[in-house]
Amino acid sequence: PVGDGIAIVSVNSLVKSSFFHAGTWSTPAIIPAAAGATVLNARVKYDGKTTLPATPTATLVWSEKIGASCVVKAATGNASTGWSNVITVADTGSACYNFIELAVNKRGEAALALGATPPPIRHAGSPAVVTSRNTNGTWTALTNFVSGVYGTAPSVAIADNGVAIAVFSDANLGAQWSKRSPADGSWTAKATFDGFVPAVPVKIAMASNGTAVAVYNAYYANVPPAPLNAATLPSGSNTWSTPVEITYPSGSIEAFNIAATPAGSFVVGWIDAQPATSLGYNMGVSVLEAGNTIWSSTVLDADMQSTYITPSATAVAAASGQAIAAWNNNFFYSDLYNIYTKLLASTSAIK
């Protein structure tokens, strides 16, 4: 917001942060983890304040491990003060979460998802755990949705009115969700919104007014076809729309990301590992404009080089009037042996 930014990087096993303000990046500094702790993961978000002279505040959350025990911690800060107000969100003991997703709204409320990244054993499963922070800065106790077989890591988003949505899946119940109450921070019992899919990655984004879109694979990505489905939850409703396929024609979407504009447009960036029309990978976006009910799908880059190196997930960001997608692609040099990488981007006007 208001032109500020922040980056989290890992340098020689140390996790550092750098603030961007007034056109300049600060010198990277070690985040305020405990001395001797191993940081398993860290995520950072600014609040949504965009009206000057408001100073945007960043929230940093990380999971740290000392010996066999783990703790989830949080801090707030900005480019002027650095990090402060370090608190323990939860002492998780032997439950060490190396997956974190964080969402923050304009009021400073936050939603936090904790889980596990895919382990070496295929489909071994992830827990689905959430918590949230109220406007006073208090975090609630962890809520564990007790994922079933092959459970996937949860995804969270939070609207400006404090309503948050968490989504996740497992092989028993398909794609599931829970809603946070802004009154007391409690989460509803998990419920299925698409029981016709297996344990697949599910991601969520929310517009300022509370409209939410969940995006997920229709089947396992390594068993094509596995296009992306999307389901919409209107603001104030508890009834999801009928899922629609948003990447047709596609073979198998390996990775994807989703972002929303305040006005209610949704942008999904994706990688198709087995496109119907070309070799290699296709990188593209699917868009649902505010006020529309039909998704559009665009291939941004058709990789015909067949280097067999998986590109990064198509990253997307959205703001009022503008969306951007960024990705990398790999190419052979003229010797057909060495490979180089290009970082590419595309922008578009959007509601």
Side-chain angles (χ1 to χ4, degrees):
V2 297
D4 284 21
I6 190 168
I8 300 292
V9 296
S10 179
V11 181
N12 297 326
S13 300
L14 295 175
V15 178
K16 299 183 177 183
S17 65
S18 174
F19 290 91
F20 181 79
H21 180 70
T24 301
W25 287 97
S26 65
T27 301
I30 298 173
I31 68 171
T38 298
V39 177
L40 302 179
N41 203 342
R43 287 291 183 268
V44 65
K45 289 282 187 181
Y46 270 109
D47 62 31
K49 294 178 182 177
T50 56
T51 303
L52 293 171
T55 300
T57 299
T59 297
L60 171 68
V61 177
W62 69 95
S63 175
E64 65 179 45
K65 183 177 184 180
I66 297 180
S69 296
C70 288
V71 177
V72 178
K73 291 184 176 180
T76 55
N78 57 47
S80 300
T81 64
W83 298 112
S84 60
N85 303 318
V86 178
I87 64 170
T88 296
V89 175
D91 185 341
T92 59
S94 60
C96 297
Y97 301 109
N98 61 0
F99 173 90
I100 297 175
E101 187 168 292
L102 174 66
V104 182
N105 67 9
K106 285 184 177 180
R107 306 194 305 188
E109 294 168 292
L112 177 66
L114 302 169
T117 55
I121 301 175
R122 177 174 172 263
H123 296 324
S126 166
V129 178
V130 295
T131 180
S132 66
R133 182 184 66 193
N134 63 20
T135 54
N136 295 323
T138 302
W139 292 86
T140 61
L142 300 184
T143 297
N144 190 336
F145 292 113
V146 191
S147 292
V149 178
Y150 304 158
T152 62
S155 176
V156 289
I158 189 167
D160 287 342
N161 62 3
V163 172
I165 302 294
V167 292
F168 46 93
S169 75
D170 62 44
N172 296 332
L173 300 174
Q176 300 157 67
W177 73 296
S178 174
K179 178 187 285 188
R180 172 193 185 259
S181 166
D184 60 5
S186 62
W187 296 82
T188 60
K190 65 181 181 181
T192 296
F193 67 90
D194 189 344
F196 296 97
V197 296
V200 292
V202 189
K203 296 187 178 182
I204 187 83
M206 297 181 76
S208 293
N209 70 351
T211 297
V213 168
V215 178
Y216 51 99
N217 287 100
Y219 202 65
Y220 295 120
N222 61 346
V223 187
L228 286 185
N229 283 352
T232 300
L233 181 69
S235 178
S237 174
N238 290 319
T239 302
W240 290 82
S241 69
T242 301
V244 295
E245 185 178 325
I246 65 171
T247 53
Y248 180 84
S250 65
S252 181
I253 304 300
E254 279 195 349
F256 58 94
N257 292 290
I258 182 171
T261 69
S265 294
F266 294 86
V267 183
V268 180
W270 43 263
I271 295 175
D272 189 348
Q274 299 187 32
T277 57
S278 64
L279 298 174
Y281 294 83
N282 278 354
M283 283 71 77
V285 293
S286 298
V287 176
L288 179 66
E289 284 264 10
N292 291 351
T293 58
I294 304 299
W295 288 79
S296 64
S297 184
T298 303
V299 173
L300 298 174
D301 192 4
D303 181 4
M304 300 298 291
Q305 303 301 313
S306 298
T307 57
Y308 302 103
I309 297 177
T310 304
S312 66
T314 306
V316 290
S320 296
Q322 189 80 13
I324 185 170
W327 67 99
N328 75 306
N329 204 345
N330 305 291
F331 301 88
F332 279 117
Y333 281 103
S334 57
D335 61 10
L336 300 180
Y337 180 77
N338 293 299
I339 294 171
Y340 65 96
T341 296
K342 285 184 177 180
L343 181 61
L344 305 167
S346 178
T347 62
S348 177
I350 195 171
K351 294 179 182 178

